[in-house]
Amino acid sequence: MGNYSAMTVCAVIVSYQPELQSLQQLISAVAPQVGAVVLVDNASNGVWQQTLSQTLAACRGALLRQPCNVGLAAAQNAGIDWARSQGFQHVLLLDQDSEPGEGMVVALLTALQNLSCENQVGAVGPRFHDRREDRDAPFVRIGFPRSQKVWCESDTQSIACDFLISSGALIPIEVLDRVGAMDAGLFIDNVDMEWSFRARAKGYALYGVCSATMHHHLGDDRRALPFGVGKIVVHGPSRLYYMMRNRLRLYGIRHTPWVWIAQDVPRVLVKLFLFGVLIGPRWRNLRFMLRGLLDGLRGRQGACPADLLR
């Protein structure tokens, strides 16, 4: 039986060109809930690192500065390695724009302990809310032709799902030892989905915990679609590159569910139309997406190519 004390949890925050006040608020919110906080910074500009180094040291943690932008996955792996070396039994992954609710970690740990009595649990995650939306985001069970979205109906629920977003995910170190690290070749997008699929393929269950809450920003913006059909999450051109490239990488991985691939292929055409025709910057979006598809076919990994960013 594992130790489910909050002191066994190390929060791993990844930052890139963060807004200092928001980052400080995140650290202040999560530090009392965990045993330590480690911040992995992807070579951000600014002079704030010295201030945060002292803050993190007071939280029994550390600032791990990367020599360049190594990407989300590699930065997460660096933080996980630090937590493992310090003897922590769990990691809590967080993005720089996340806001954990009060008592979130205890709620996640309690659910993990209870669920582990009957299941082999790979990770648990909170229900999250984007302040730009009117309701919490659902958890997802993959299906065909459409996935099932499951919303929390009470705080006592734990919802079995097929993937968890990385921010807010609580993962036992021993699970990471068995499932493996985050796929650094993906760099940023679909990192959480690939790891979730890999964990599920190895027999681990994933759960959304309704009693644990977190605010989290999805996408760069919201745009209204023509004819009043609703709004869509908007990402910049470089993110669209990773989205297109990395989905092709997932298509070729054995542990990716075929039902997800079958429903995602049409989504490629939809995104090409939305961001290449309806939502600007159209030509730049289209160029990045097509290059992403081409690089996906080529098996390219790592950062977005420099020639595309010029």
Side-chain angles (χ1 to χ4, degrees):
M1 182 70 68
N3 184 346
Y4 293 95
S5 163
M7 296 305 292
T8 68
V9 179
C10 177
V12 176
I13 303 171
V14 175
S15 63
Y16 177 67
Q17 308 293 21
E19 200 280 313
L20 179 57
Q21 184 177 359
S22 297
L23 188 56
Q24 288 175 320
Q25 289 174 348
L26 167 57
I27 295 172
S28 297
V30 75
Q33 301 190 44
V34 297
V37 180
V38 60
L39 173 66
V40 187
D41 182 70
N42 271 326
S44 300
N45 299 324
V47 295
W48 51 266
Q49 287 91 344
Q50 184 60 41
T51 300
L52 279 191
S53 291
Q54 298 171 358
T55 301
L56 291 163
C59 301
R60 303 169 299 281
L63 171 63
L64 306 182
R65 303 183 190 180
Q66 303 305 294
C68 61
N69 184 2
V70 299
L72 175 65
Q76 287 175 336
N77 290 338
I80 291 166
D81 289 344
W82 186 90
R84 184 186 289 110
S85 71
Q86 300 299 310
F88 288 96
Q89 297 179 25
H90 306 84
V91 291
L92 175 72
L93 302 180
L94 291 167
D95 293 346
Q96 66 188 34
D97 56 0
S98 300
E99 302 173 42
E102 185 177 353
M104 184 188 81
V105 176
V106 169
L108 291 174
L109 277 171
T110 301
L112 178 63
Q113 182 176 19
N114 293 338
L115 292 164
S116 296
C117 293
E118 300 180 0
N119 302 278
Q120 184 174 245
V121 182
V124 292
R127 59 170 164 171
F128 67 92
H129 181 87
D130 191 313
R131 295 189 190 279
R132 297 166 293 185
E133 300 287 347
D134 294 330
R135 60 180 177 179
D136 296 335
F139 297 104
V140 176
R141 295 172 185 157
I142 296 170
F144 185 83
R146 298 184 65 181
S147 293
Q148 179 186 7
K149 296 181 179 180
V150 185
W151 278 270
C152 291
E153 296 181 356
S154 74
D155 289 347
T156 61
Q157 282 181 286
S158 291
I159 298 173
C161 53
D162 287 319
F163 65 87
L164 294 167
I165 68 167
S166 59
S167 192
L170 180 72
I171 311 175
I173 291 288
E174 64 178 9
V175 172
L176 287 160
D177 291 340
R178 294 170 184 166
V179 174
M182 305 299 157
D183 187 341
L186 294 174
F187 200 77
I188 182 167
D189 269 287
N190 288 339
V191 173
D192 43 14
M193 186 170 289
E194 187 280 328
W195 189 90
S196 293
F197 289 165
R198 194 170 0 127
R200 296 282 289 122
K202 288 183 177 290
Y204 286 97
L206 306 174
Y207 287 91
V209 179
C210 295
S211 58
T213 59
M214 184 182 76
H215 289 286
H216 180 69
H217 285 182
L218 281 176
D220 299 327
D221 197 2
R222 296 288 189 278
R223 297 274 184 90
L225 291 172
F227 313 113
V229 296
K231 293 184 178 181
I232 187 171
V233 176
V234 176
H235 299 275
S238 62
R239 286 294 298 275
L240 293 173
Y241 166 84
Y242 290 116
M243 289 176 177
M244 289 298 182
R245 187 195 71 182
N246 291 350
R247 69 196 331 129
L248 289 191
R249 179 173 170 85
L250 262 64
Y251 293 172
I253 295 177
R254 184 171 55 184
H255 54 254
T256 301
W258 70 266
V259 290
W260 179 82
I261 298 173
Q263 66 163 251
D264 191 69
V265 170
R267 197 175 296 131
V268 173
L269 300 177
V270 172
K271 286 188 176 293
L272 286 171
F273 176 73
L274 286 175
F275 295 103
V277 178
L278 297 182
I279 299 173
R282 297 172 182 83
W283 168 241
R284 186 168 172 82
N285 286 342
L286 187 61
R287 186 162 63 92
F288 274 71
M289 288 189 292
L290 292 176
R291 178 63 178 273
L293 292 173
L294 179 60
D295 283 353
L297 291 172
R298 291 169 172 169
R300 184 181 181 118
Q301 302 182 50
C304 182
D307 65 290
L308 189 60
L309 295 171
R310 294 193 189 105

